[in-house]
Amino acid sequence: MKKFCCMLLLLLFVLVLPESGHAAAVTGKIFLDGKELTAGQNVQVENVNSTVMVPLRMISQNLGYTVEWDQKSQMVTIGQQGKIIQLIVNQKSASVDDKTVLLTTAPLLKNSITFVPIRFISEQFGLAVAWDNTDKVVTLVTPESTPDTGNDTGTGVVVPPVDTTNLTQVNGVSFNNNQLLITMQGASQPKATLLTNPDRLVVDFPNATFSDVFGTGQLLDPNLNGKLDVVGYPDVSGVRYSLFSTAPYTVRFVVDLNYAKNYTVSVSEDENNLVIVDLNAEDSGETGALPGNSGKKLVVLDAGHGAKDSGAVGVTGKYEKAFNLAIVLKAAELLKKENNIDVVLTRSNDTFLELKERAAIANNLNADLFISVHANSSASTSATGTETYYQRQASKAFANVMHKYLVPATGLSDRGVRYGNFHVIRETKMPAVLLEVGYLSNKGDEALLFTEALQNRVAAAMVSAIKEYLGIK
């Protein structure tokens, strides 16, 4: 593995050259710990805006690792001993196992040859790299080696390795109840700044990057920029986010305000953290109380699936994820009217969260109840009805109360309260249920589930069950 890591480092490395230009081809040589990798052959090197780019296929033949090329997506996949690196031509974001990292220069396709910057790999595997611009020589050095390049002159630039293994991974974002919710894995402490002209709230996460989960669940362009549409909130016109810097790594969120606004920032204390930027605060401050800490009961509502994960697809093509979200949003609006209940949504728009993140949100907030909303599907188009699932015995009483209200609200056949080993109700620490409101594979159920009348009844039934179980009048 060590040999592979050392060799792989030469694939992607960005060096600053004295001369500049859009793209210029030069010839050069590449040495690893004093040994020339190309057996005396000249190497074509591209200088793209002062970035050294080397041909991937030629290098792969010398190093013996697997390189796969997908013509349709123009993706290069490099794999060896379980490590997977994926790059896409003309796209600056790359994937290294479970992390998303930013390249200074995107991979280049020229004359059917894929050129890649070398520094990306050097940062991931710890090689020092030097560029001799006089003789056009790239020198790669493993930490314990002292190579003899046969070259004591020339101008050299040495780029030290950068450790990205301890970066906080930002996994997801949503906006609901005038609050920005950000999920992350790691210990980054957010820094919030209120700015004017125009009014905006900037929240930086130092020592952080976007995880691969974020890129699959939220909008994220090749340069790791994106935005979250916010509708129905007079204080906010939108939310923007980006990998703001790689020196040091910093993820930035910008809440675009319609006017100056007070805020608080609260962070749960766990490996899978939840950050809440609350625009409902009376006074601005760097820290605030998490939901449920004001003496109110806290309910977490989870709209199943989202974004790339559509869930079940109905007989007329309707998506389960849209139904789940509609129910959760309606229930949340009703719960906000209750003086003794706080509500948090795992997602409030068409985004995606891993199952462990959904459970972690509820656990980190020490929620009193957790409800995951779904619609079912079956190979049989005749399957119909409503089910309520629990996994832990401590959740069964809540499931019984919920089901008592849910079945009359749907008007569908009663398929009972059932045991189900679902992750979100197994890994949560509070009473938790999963609702299968109806069957999208049944034409009658599907038509009913997507009516405002049924959705309103189900949302109201959920609130009634919550209040009865919690003993709230």
Side-chain angles (χ1 to χ4, degrees), residues 315-374:
V315 291
T316 66
K318 292 183 174 65
Y319 289 151
E320 179 193 352
K321 66 176 182 177
F323 169 78
N324 301 340
L325 183 59
I327 295 292
V328 161
L329 291 176
K330 291 177 185 297
E333 286 302 313
L334 295 175
L335 287 172
K336 290 173 190 175
K337 299 176 182 178
E338 298 293 331
N339 295 327
N340 297 315
I341 297 176
D342 277 341
V343 59
V344 168
L345 279 61
T346 59
R347 70 178 182 96
S348 58
N349 42 39
D350 190 20
T351 55
F352 174 79
L353 292 174
E354 296 283 356
L355 297 177
K356 66 178 182 180
E357 290 183 67
R358 299 169 191 257
I361 288 174
N363 290 337
N364 289 345
L365 293 174
N366 293 316
D368 294 283
L369 295 175
F370 177 91
I371 305 167
S372 188
V373 177
H374 291 259

Side-chain angles (χ1 to χ4, degrees), residues 148-171:
D148 177 12
T149 66
N151 235 323
D152 295 327
T153 61
T155 58
V157 178
V158 177
V159 179
V162 178
D163 183 9
T164 61
T165 59
N166 295 319
L167 294 178
T168 289
Q169 303 292 305
V170 177
N171 294 326

Side-chain angles (χ1 to χ4, degrees), residues 2-73:
K2 176 182 175 184
K3 181 178 180 182
F4 165 71
C5 294
C6 294
M7 290 182 174
L8 202 54
L9 278 171
L10 88 84
L11 280 180
L12 302 166
F13 166 63
V14 179
L15 290 167
V16 177
L17 300 176
E19 58 265 36
S20 63
H22 176 67
V26 297
T27 57
K29 295 182 179 180
I30 301 174
F31 289 85
L32 173 62
D33 294 336
K35 296 182 180 180
E36 187 177 357
L37 294 181
T38 54
Q41 303 173 24
N42 287 328
V43 181
Q44 183 178 350
V45 178
E46 288 288 328
N47 174 11
V48 180
N49 295 325
S50 300
T51 296
V52 172
M53 311 280 286
V54 293
L56 177 60
R57 180 61 61 186
M58 182 277 296
I59 294 176
S60 67
Q61 291 173 348
N62 282 275
L63 300 183
Y65 50 77
T66 62
V67 178
E68 298 179 0
W69 167 255
D70 184 88
Q71 178 64 32
K72 183 177 180 180
S73 64

Side-chain angles (χ1 to χ4, degrees), residues 213-226:
V213 172
F214 191 100
T216 58
Q218 287 78 209
L219 293 175
L220 200 62
D221 70 17
N223 293 320
L224 299 187
N225 299 301

Side-chain angles (χ1 to χ4, degrees), residues 114-295:
T114 303
F115 292 86
V116 293
I118 308 175
R119 181 175 177 176
F120 171 76
I121 292 297
S122 77
E123 291 179 344
Q124 302 306 318
F125 294 93
L127 245 71
V129 185
W131 167 252
D132 186 325
N133 189 56
T134 301
D135 294 329
K136 304 297 185 284
V137 173
V138 173
T139 303
L140 307 172
V141 184
T142 54
E144 68 276 15
S145 301
T146 304
D148 177 12
T149 66
N151 235 323
D152 295 327
T153 61
T155 58
V157 178
V158 177
V159 179
V162 178
D163 183 9
T164 61
T165 59
N166 295 319
L167 294 178
T168 289
Q169 303 292 305
V170 177
N171 294 326
V173 60
S174 65
F175 191 91
N176 186 65
N177 196 27
N178 229 25
Q179 296 174 327
L180 181 68
L181 279 68
I182 300 163
T183 58
M184 65 178 187
Q185 185 172 4
S188 179
Q189 290 298 311
K191 299 178 180 179
T193 307
L194 198 59
L195 302 177
T196 58
N197 297 320
D199 291 314
R200 61 201 186 279
L201 177 61
V202 176
V203 185
D204 284 340
F205 289 79
N207 194 40
T209 187
F210 292 117
S211 70
D212 281 349
V213 172
F214 191 100
T216 58
Q218 287 78 209
L219 293 175
L220 200 62
D221 70 17
N223 293 320
L224 299 187
N225 299 301
K227 64 179 183 178
L228 181 67
D229 293 329
V230 176
V231 179
Y233 291 92
D235 300 332
V236 178
S237 60
V239 175
R240 295 174 284 128
Y241 45 81
S242 67
L243 183 59
F244 180 71
S245 171
T246 57
Y249 272 81
T250 303
V251 171
R252 169 167 290 185
F253 290 85
V254 179
V255 182
D256 290 316
L257 301 171
N258 294 323
Y259 35 76
K261 199 79 177 69
N262 292 328
Y263 71 92
T264 59
V265 179
S266 53
V267 184
S268 65
E269 297 180 359
D270 205 311
E271 181 181 1
N272 295 299
N273 288 332
L274 175 66
V275 177
I276 299 180
V277 181
D278 190 355
L279 298 177
N280 302 306
E282 295 183 2
D283 298 304
S284 287
E286 291 299 316
T287 58
L290 291 166
N293 287 353
S294 59

